[in-house]
Amino acid sequence: MEVVDVLHMNGGIGDASYASNSLVQKMVILLAKPITEEAITELYTRLFPKSICIADLGCSSGPNTFLAVSELIKDVEKKCKSLGHKSPEYQIYLNDLPSNDFNTIFKSLPSFQKSFAEQMGSGFGHCFFTGVPGSFYGRLFPNKSLHFVHSSYSVMWLSRVPDLEEVNKGNIYLSSTSPLSVISSYLKQFQRDFTTFLQCRAEELVPGGVMVLTFLGRKSEDHSGKESGYVWELLARALNELVSEGQIEGEQLDCFNIPQYTPSPAEVKYFVEEEGSFSITRLEATTIHWTAYDHDHDHVTGHHHAFKDGGYSVSNCMRAVAEPLLVSHFGEAIMDEVFRKYREILTDCMTKEKTEFINVTVSMTRRV
Amino acid sequence: MEVVDVLHMNGGIGDASYASNSLVQKMVILLAKPITEEAITELYTRLFPKSICIADLGCSSGPNTFLAVSELIKDVEKKCKSLGHKSPEYQIYLNDLPSNDFNTIFKSLPSFQKSFAEQMGSGFGHCFFTGVPGSFYGRLFPNKSLHFVHSSYSVMWLSRVPDLEEVNKGNIYLSSTSPLSVISSYLKQFQRDFTTFLQCRAEELVPGGVMVLTFLGRKSEDHSGKESGYVWELLARALNELVSEGQIEGEQLDCFNIPQYTPSPAEVKYFVEEEGSFSITRLEATTIHWTAYDHDHDHVTGHHHAFKDGGYSVSNCMRAVAEPLLVSHFGEAIMDEVFRKYREILTDCMTKEKTEFINVTVSMTRRV
C-alpha cells in the first residue's frame, strides 16, 4: 500500500466528507492562533516582503482549507495597518497529496475571494491562490521561494507504514500493549520522515523564513497514556469486536497499522535540533478534553480546552480522516458497521472517563 | 450566464471527455512549436534564470495539459546542454477556470513526473507543478513573477457573450449573414478582453519576459470566409435543423451566441501595439485543412497542414469543448441529437468541399 495513493480526507461536501466533519481541526487551528500570529507578524516586521509567499501543507478540502491562510493574511494586514504600510501581495500555495479533492477547493475559491476581499476592505493587496499537489516528504517549491510555511495536523502522517519486526497484535497504532520493537520502528520512521520534511523546507524557505507546525502529539514520553493514540485505540476496539463476530479476519486486523506518529515536544525539539537548519522559537503542548455534548459551543480556558460532543463529531471526523485508509484494507462494505461501533464506544468512554488529546505546536526560523 | 461558470472542457477521461478528444489541439500545439522553441530558447539565453517560471494559461485537462509545458522544458534543457549549463529549476503554473477538472490533472501528475524525469535523464533539475484556478482576464500571479507565458487555443474565448444590439438570427457566431452591429460588438468585446489580458500579463511578467499565444483565428479581414467560424456555422446548421423539427424553439436559438472571437493577424498586431507593453517578435497565420480520414496520421507540409478525419474527431473535439456551454442553454437531453446531426453535417462538408481552419500565433516580449 502506497500511503500517497490512499491517504486523503473524504472528498466532496456530503455527510461523510471531511468538508462537513472538520470541527476538531478547526478548533486546533484556532488554538494555535497565538503562536502563528506571533510568528507571521515577527516575520513580516523583519523582512517586509512586497510579495509574501505562504504555503499551507496538508490543506485538505473543506472550510479549514481557507481558515488557516486567511487568519495569517489578517495578521499581516493588521500589522501593515498599524505600521501605516501598503498591503503586500499574497501568493498562497495550498498543498496536499494529488488525491486530495482540489476541484472542490477551486470551485469555492471565487466566492471565498470575493467575500474575503470585502472583509479586508479597501487597500487590500492582490491575493493569489495556487494548488500544489504532492507529498511534503519531497521538494514542492523552488529554492528560497517561501516566506512562511504552515501545517496543521498533517506532519504526524508518515510517508508509509513502518516495517515492523513483530506483530502489533490487536492494535492499529501504538498502545500500552505494543511491543517495544514496534514502538521503535514507528519512532525511526517518524525521524526519517520529519528530517526529510525539514531538509526540504530548509531549501524552499528564504533565509530567515518561518515555519509553524501543529501535530496531534502527546505529553508523556511513553505511548501508554490515554492521550493521542486513544482515538485509534478505540477504533481498534471496534475492529476487534468485528473480529470476534467473525466479520473481519484476525490476521487482516493484525497487518493493519495506521501510518501516523504522535510525537512528544521533546522528540520534536530533538529532531529539529539534530537536522540543524532551523532554530525553535516556541514549542508548546496543549491538552484538549472531549466532554459530553451539552448543546453549547466549545469552551476554552487557559491551556485546557474542552471539545463538547457526544461522540458524534469525533467519530464523523475520524471517519472523514481514516475511511480511505480503512477501505483500502478492509473493503467498503464493512465501513458503516465499523463506524457505528466506533461511535458507540466513543460515546461510552466520554461519559465514563476523562478523554483528551494533545496538540504539539512548534514555531521555528530558517537559520541564515 | 456567467462564462466563467460554464466554460470548461468536458471533464474526466470518458468517451465524451476533452481528455479523449483533443487531437486537434495537440496538432495545434505541435504546429506552433518552431515559434515557441525559438521564443523560450531566446529568453533563456538572454536572462539565464536559475529558477524559470512558466505559466500555461487555459491548460484544460487531458494529454495536452502536459504537452505544451513539457515541450518548453525540453527546449530549455536542449539549450542548457549545448551551453554546458546546469539545468535550472522549473516552476510550472497550470492555469484554467475554477470549473476545470484539476483533480484529473493532479492525479496523473506523479506518473507524468516520473516518466518525464526518466526521459530527461540525469542532471535534470527540479520541476514543480502548481494549479492556478481563475480567469486570465484578471490577475493570477504576483508582480514580475513569470518568465514565460504560453497559451494555446484559449485567448479567443471571451470573458462574456457580447451585448448585441440586433439579433444574430440563425447564427451562433459571426457569419456572412451576421448584422454589422453584431460583428462590431464581438470585435469590441475581444478588444476589451484582449487588452485586459495584455495588461495583466504585463504586470506578471518580468521585464524582458516572453509570451506566445495561439488563437483559433482567421486570415481575411471579414467574417464571411469559410475559415475559423466555420465549425460554429456547421453547428448552427445542426441547431437550425432541430428548430425546423420543433425540437428547439427558434427564440432559444436566436439568443444563443458563442463567447469566442477569432482574430486576424492584423487585429492581434493592432491591439498589442495599442496596449503598448509588448513588442511583437513573430506573428504568423497557418492554414489547416481538414481532409477525409484515410487511416493515416496527420500530415504536415510547409505552411499548409492537413488534419485527416471523417468528421468524427472534429465533432467529438467540438463536443468536448462546447457541450457545457450548450447544456447550460439548451439542456442536457438534446445533446446526443445535436452532435449526431453535427457529425453528419461535418462529414458531408468534408467530402464535398475544401474545409480549413486558421491558427494565428504571436510571440512577444515584455518591454523593459
Side-chain angles (χ1 to χ4, degrees), chain A residues 51 89 91 93 98-103 106-107 109-110 126 128-133 139-143, chain B residues 51 89 91 93 98-103 106-107 109-110 126 128-133 139-143:
Chain A
S51 177
E89 284 186 331
Q91 171 74 297
Y93 295 102
S99 50
N100 185 54
D101 186 3
F102 280 95
N103 281 356
F106 288 176
K107 278 175 193 158
L109 187 60
H126 283 293
F128 306 108
F129 285 83
T130 67
V132 182
R139 286 287 302 279
L140 293 167
F141 306 96
N143 219 17
Chain B
S51 178
E89 286 186 331
Q91 171 74 299
Y93 295 102
S99 50
N100 184 52
D101 186 3
F102 281 95
N103 281 356
F106 288 177
K107 278 173 192 157
L109 186 59
H126 284 291
F128 306 109
F129 285 84
T130 68
V132 181
R139 285 287 302 277
L140 293 167
F141 306 96
N143 219 17

Side-chain angles (χ1 to χ4, degrees), chain A residues 275-290:
Chain A
E275 195 278 328
S277 305
F278 293 91
S279 60
I280 292 177
T281 312
R282 269 175 184 273
L283 176 58
E284 284 186 12
T286 314
T287 306
I288 299 173
H289 300 292
W290 323 335

